[in-house]
Amino acid sequence: MIKARIIVTLKTGVLDPQGKAIESALGNLGIDGVGAVRQGKVFDVTLEGDDAAGARAKLDAMCEQLLANTVIENYSVEIA
Amino acid sequence: MKTAVVLLPGLNRDRDMIAALTTITGKAPQTVWQTETTLPDVDLVVVPGGFSFGDYLRCGAIAARSPVMRAVAAAAEKGVPVLGVCNGFQILCEAGLLPGALMRNAALRFVCREVKLEVVNAETRFTGAYRQGQVIRCPVAHHDGNYFADAATLKRLQDEGRIVFRYAEGTNPNGAIADIAGIVNEAGNVLGMMPHPENLVEAEHGGTDGRGIFESVLGMSPSLAA
């Protein structure tokens, strides 16, 4: 069994209105000194078998084809 | 005049689109469920608006990978005209049939109101019934209409006349880059737009400004009062 964590984030330069809204909410809570917040997504994926190289290729494929929209997002894959 | 409307779970503007196509062509469109792998032989395929698959993951992302969208891509490749409205536009972008992406509205609010659209290119298959630069009325209703494309893609869209509609007169409701409301693909047979032309096609709607899109692409003589 292979466990992986995929992190999807917006590319630099792409406006993140949700991150901006979170920034302003943090200000409302009195948590000051916040420079910027960017919102992203985390996917925990479990793959059958123990072929790490095959898993890496499969995880990259799922990011490219579905989990990330590479027009606006970057992704990174960590295998535990 | 034969048309088809793609049906996906979570869409909610499919009935408006079916009503508009029925009114305009005099014949009800065929409906094609998401699991279908082929499309009927038609003159126009429409992917209507709504919230397919609850906008899970990203708006349009799950729908874009459904079997019927592979059939839509194949039809588009053969030159069949395809119109995507609202969620349909998002789905066409996610499916790679149109460039760019639609993101959360810049002001984070769902917008449901009328906007003004400038017909930026009246020479596409979808806009022949309009005059170049004509400003038409059209309703919008969306949460993710903030069109984004990288600088190279944007330049290409501009240079190739593929920006078909822009929000005019300061009515950009979502922060879309370059006020983009609708674009066509390179071949010119796939149009995606956020506003809902199907909701302005008969006098009872308060106007018929949206009708020209359907009449243009279906090769009908324009009945535009605009």
Side-chain angles (χ1 to χ4, degrees):
Chain A
M1 196 84 92
I2 290 174
K3 288 187 172 180
R5 172 160 283 186
I6 293 164
I7 298 175
V8 175
T9 52
L10 281 175
K11 288 183 177 175
T12 310
V14 173
L15 178 71
D16 178 14
Q18 294 173 113
K20 291 278 176 211
I22 293 164
E23 276 172 34
S24 100
L26 290 173
N28 293 342
L29 289 172
I31 301 175
D32 54 12
V34 177
V37 177
R38 305 276 285 168
Q39 180 177 311
K41 297 187 184 99
V42 171
F43 302 88
D44 287 324
V45 181
T46 309
L47 294 171
E48 291 167 2
D50 52 9
D51 170 13
R56 172 71 62 175
K58 207 174 272 187
L59 290 159
D60 280 340
M62 62 179 81
C63 288
E64 288 287 335
Q65 293 172 35
L66 180 61
L67 298 184
N69 179 340
T70 55
V71 174
I72 48 172
E73 294 169 329
N74 291 321
Y75 64 87
S76 63
V77 178
E78 299 162 15
I79 294 181
Chain B
M1 212 76 64
K2 287 177 296 182
T3 59
V5 172
V6 171
L7 299 182
L8 297 143
L11 293 182
N12 61 7
R13 296 302 190 100
D14 45 320
R15 292 173 68 160
D16 287 12
M17 189 60 77
I18 290 167
L21 289 169
T22 305
T23 299
I24 292 165
T25 68
K27 192 175 164 195
Q30 300 185 61
T31 54
V32 191
W33 182 239
Q34 54 144 343
T35 51
E36 297 290 322
T37 53
T38 57
L39 293 176
D41 185 20
V42 293
D43 306 301
L44 173 67
V45 178
V46 183
V47 187
F51 302 87
S52 58
F53 297 91
D55 279 352
Y56 288 0
L57 188 59
R58 297 177 302 275
C59 51
I62 308 289
R65 279 81 182 171
S66 62
V68 73
M69 285 309 298
R70 281 196 282 275
V72 171
E77 181 66 29
K78 281 190 288 186
V80 176
V82 176
L83 168 65
V85 169
C86 200
N87 194 210
F89 184 15
Q90 297 160 347
I91 293 167
L92 293 176
C93 286
E94 278 282 346
L97 292 178
L98 290 171
L102 290 142
M103 304 182 56
R104 182 53 47 99
N105 293 346
L108 291 169
R109 281 189 293 270
F110 189 97
V111 289
C112 183
R113 59 170 176 259
E114 186 175 296
V115 297
K116 298 281 177 59
L117 293 182
E118 177 196 348
V119 180
V120 182
N121 185 349
E123 292 178 2
T124 75
R125 291 174 70 162
F126 297 89
T127 49
Y130 301 104
R131 293 187 316 277
Q132 186 77 20
Q134 185 176 347
V135 174
I136 63 169
R137 300 162 49 212
C138 205
V140 293
H142 60 250
H143 208 169
D144 298 83
N146 184 354
Y147 182 77
F148 176 85
D150 61 34
T153 305
L154 187 60
K155 182 171 187 320
R156 223 177 132 201
L157 289 173
Q158 279 164 339
D159 291 350
E160 295 174 2
R162 288 165 54 193
I163 299 171
V164 180
F165 296 110
R166 273 191 217 273
Y167 301 109
E169 300 174 15
T171 60
N172 183 341
N174 52 40
I177 196 163
D179 294 327
I180 289 174
I183 56 169
V184 283
N185 66 340
E186 196 173 0
N189 66 313
V190 178
L191 169 67
M193 61 188 296
M194 286 312 299
H196 288 275
E198 75 276 18
N199 289 143
L200 212 56
V201 299
E202 49 189 299
E204 288 77 4
H205 289 158
T208 58
D209 292 32
R211 204 172 166 114
I213 292 170
F214 302 97
E215 290 171 340
S216 300
V217 71
L218 291 169
M220 304 169 73
S221 52
S223 63
L224 266 195

